[in-house]
């Protein structure tokens, strides 16, 4: 039972939208999120077991926080559907999230689907040492 509760809590943590600085324009909000970090070479997949939280930047990008590394994904299609209050749902058969995946967006309150995005490359951002 404890494992089930831990799993549910972890899932809820990943699905809860982070409070954003909604006063900023989306590109400025993204720049603020990666401030003090340097972009690395794009990767096609990330390991979801390393992801601590997920943040949506309205109409712009998805940030996957893997602790020391932030992976920024600017979807190849459907980015205009991204909303910070939506929940991301992906059907995976492995613990990796990869470039061609389709992510469905659901309104957190109504639970209606609000759109889909087609993931692009994941750009890793690491802190400047």
């Amino acid at each position: 039972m404890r494992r089930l509760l831990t799993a549910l809590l972890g899932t809820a943590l990943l699905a809860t939208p982070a409070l954003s600085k909604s006063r900023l324009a989306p590109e400025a909000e993204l720049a603020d999120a990666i401030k003090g970090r340097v972009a690395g070479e794009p990767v096609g997949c990330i390991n979801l077991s390393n992801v601590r939280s997920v943040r949506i930047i309205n109409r712009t990008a998805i940030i996957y926080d893997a602790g020391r590394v932030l992976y920024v994904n600017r979807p190849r299609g459907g980015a205009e559907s991204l909303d910070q209050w939506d929940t991301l749902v992906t059907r995976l058969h492995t613990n990796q999230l990869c470039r061609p995946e389709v992510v469905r967006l659901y309104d957190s309150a109504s639970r209606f689907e609000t759109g889909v995005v087609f993931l692009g490359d994941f750009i890793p951002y690491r802190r400047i040492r």
Side-chain angles (χ1 to χ4, degrees):
M1 184 66 158
R2 178 174 263 173
R3 286 185 182 168
L4 176 62
L5 288 175
T6 303
L8 290 173
L9 179 60
T11 303
L13 178 64
L14 286 175
T16 302
L19 294 177
S20 74
K21 300 175 182 176
S22 58
R23 293 181 193 134
L24 295 176
E27 288 296 335
E29 185 178 347
L30 178 58
D32 188 50
I34 59 176
K35 184 172 40 178
R37 296 176 181 265
V38 175
E41 290 294 318
V43 295
C45 297
I46 60 171
N47 188 339
L48 284 178
S49 62
N50 295 332
V51 174
R52 296 178 179 177
S53 65
V54 178
R55 178 177 172 186
I56 296 173
I57 306 295
N58 290 339
R59 298 173 312 280
T60 305
I62 305 167
I63 301 174
Y64 296 89
D65 183 347
R68 294 183 178 180
V69 181
L70 295 180
Y71 291 96
V72 175
N73 190 290
R74 288 180 178 264
R76 295 184 311 165
E80 64 279 354
S81 298
L82 290 173
D83 182 276
Q84 68 182 7
W85 302 112
D86 283 347
T87 299
L88 303 170
V89 177
T90 306
R91 292 196 176 131
L92 301 173
H93 301 289
T94 68
N95 66 342
Q96 293 214 325
L97 184 62
C98 296
R99 174 182 27 237
E101 295 290 340
V102 174
V103 177
R104 297 188 181 287
L105 303 166
Y106 288 86
D107 180 86
S108 298
S110 70
R111 297 191 176 135
F112 285 112
E113 186 173 317
T114 58
V116 296
V117 295
F118 301 90
L119 296 178
D121 285 327
F122 295 88
I123 310 298
Y125 285 86
R126 291 178 174 80
R127 290 209 179 275
I128 300 171
R129 293 183 186 217

